[in-house]
């Protein structure tokens, strides 16, 4: 059976990937299946650099093809911040609630039209033989004035999509998985993935 390792121990992200990749003829593993694998420091200056860093490290240490993703929020008013620092925006240890609180504080008094933002995802596939592929996905939106919704994780309760009149966290898993930045990155990488693994 074909196997691929998603380079994450984050269960929310792992669940998303299992759903997004369910059309492939492949078994999805995560870092929880390889507790001895120590990940390198994410010190890239771009999402793509960090995605490749993770995928290469996991492919090398497990001997299996690996998917690494790096994604985050870019807020125009904050000149693209938090960007690659999205997960640790409010410091270590990472905490979604504190990150959201910090973002709202920095945007206090900022008018709606200036609260434009995007979620960006870079997705890298690395194989033990050195073959690599990279794809990206981006979704434009706004930063809401307060968190709304019970689904998702990270900045999902604050990321508002005008076309739906809802935040990511209000969409529900099915709809979010159809249109998220991560879903778009998977779609853009799908020709490579389906060629390697086939579809169910």
């Amino acid at each position: 059976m074909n196997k691929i390792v998603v380079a994450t121990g984050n269960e929310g992200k792992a669940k998303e990937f299992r759903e997004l990749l369910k059309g492939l003829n492949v078994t999805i593993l995560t870092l929880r299946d390889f507790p001895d694998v120590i990940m390198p420091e994410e010190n890239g200056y771009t999402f793509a650099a960090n995605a490749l860093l993770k995928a290469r490290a996991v492919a090398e240490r497990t001997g299996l093809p690996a998917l690494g993703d790096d994604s985050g929020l870019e807020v125009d008013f904050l000149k693209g911040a938090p960007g690659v620092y999205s997960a640790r925006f409010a410091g270590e240890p990472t905490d979604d609630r504190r990150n959201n609180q910090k973002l709202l504080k920095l945007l206090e008094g900022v008018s709606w039209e200036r609260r434009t933002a995007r979620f960006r995802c870079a997705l890298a596939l690395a194989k033990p033989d050195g073959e690599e592929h990279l794809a990206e996905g981006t979704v434009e939106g706004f930063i809401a004035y307060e968190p709304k919704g019970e689904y998702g994780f990270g900045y999902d309760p604050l990321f508002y999509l005008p076309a739906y009149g809802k935040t990511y966290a209000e969409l529900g898993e099915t709809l979010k998985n159809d249109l998220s930045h991560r879903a778009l990155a998977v779609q853009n990488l799908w020709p490579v993935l389906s060629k390697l693994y086939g579809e169910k």
Side-chain angles (χ1 to χ4, degrees):
M1 171 62 82
N2 292 321
K3 294 179 181 178
I4 193 167
V5 186
V6 176
T8 186
N10 179 316
E11 195 47 45
K13 189 182 284 189
K15 187 177 178 184
E16 257 187 51
F17 269 114
R18 284 196 183 94
E19 186 63 28
L20 292 169
L21 299 171
K22 68 181 180 183
L24 293 175
N25 187 27
V26 67
T27 298
I28 311 296
L29 304 174
T30 72
L31 292 182
R32 292 191 172 201
D33 298 296
F34 301 93
D36 295 335
V37 170
I38 298 172
M39 294 296 286
E41 182 184 352
E42 292 178 39
N43 53 13
Y45 292 106
T46 64
F47 294 122
N50 282 332
L52 281 165
L53 190 78
K54 288 189 250 191
R56 286 169 182 158
V58 173
E60 182 183 313
R61 291 164 196 180
T62 65
L64 292 168
L67 274 179
D69 94 299
D70 195 37
S71 55
L73 186 68
E74 297 174 340
V75 180
D76 293 322
F77 183 79
L78 302 179
K79 299 179 180 175
V84 293
Y85 305 106
S86 292
R88 49 195 186 277
F89 191 39
E92 300 280 4
T94 61
D95 184 288
D96 290 348
R97 190 177 58 82
R98 289 194 301 119
N99 286 338
N100 284 320
Q101 286 175 341
K102 179 176 180 178
L103 179 59
L104 286 176
K105 189 161 184 62
L106 290 172
L107 292 178
E108 270 182 13
V110 176
S111 62
W112 183 251
E113 63 272 13
R114 299 175 72 200
R115 299 173 78 93
T116 53
R118 72 203 47 78
F119 262 130
R120 190 184 300 278
C121 174
L123 183 61
L125 170 67
K127 295 173 67 181
D129 64 6
E131 182 181 342
E132 294 179 345
H133 301 274
L134 186 68
E136 291 202 0
T138 305
V139 175
E140 302 284 338
F142 289 80
I143 302 303
Y145 291 110
E146 61 182 8
K148 286 186 178 179
E150 304 298 321
Y151 303 99
F153 56 95
Y155 298 95
D156 289 359
L158 288 179
F159 190 70
Y160 180 84
L161 296 167
Y164 293 87
K166 294 179 179 180
T167 67
Y168 253 15
E170 293 177 293
L171 291 176
E173 291 180 12
T174 303
L175 184 53
K176 184 193 168 187
N177 281 342
D178 285 343
L179 53 85
S180 74
H181 52 301
R182 195 166 287 116
L184 291 173
V186 169
Q187 287 172 26
N188 290 333
L189 194 61
W190 196 263
V192 172
L193 292 168
S194 61
K195 187 176 179 181
L196 286 172
Y197 302 110
E199 299 185 28
K200 290 181 180 175

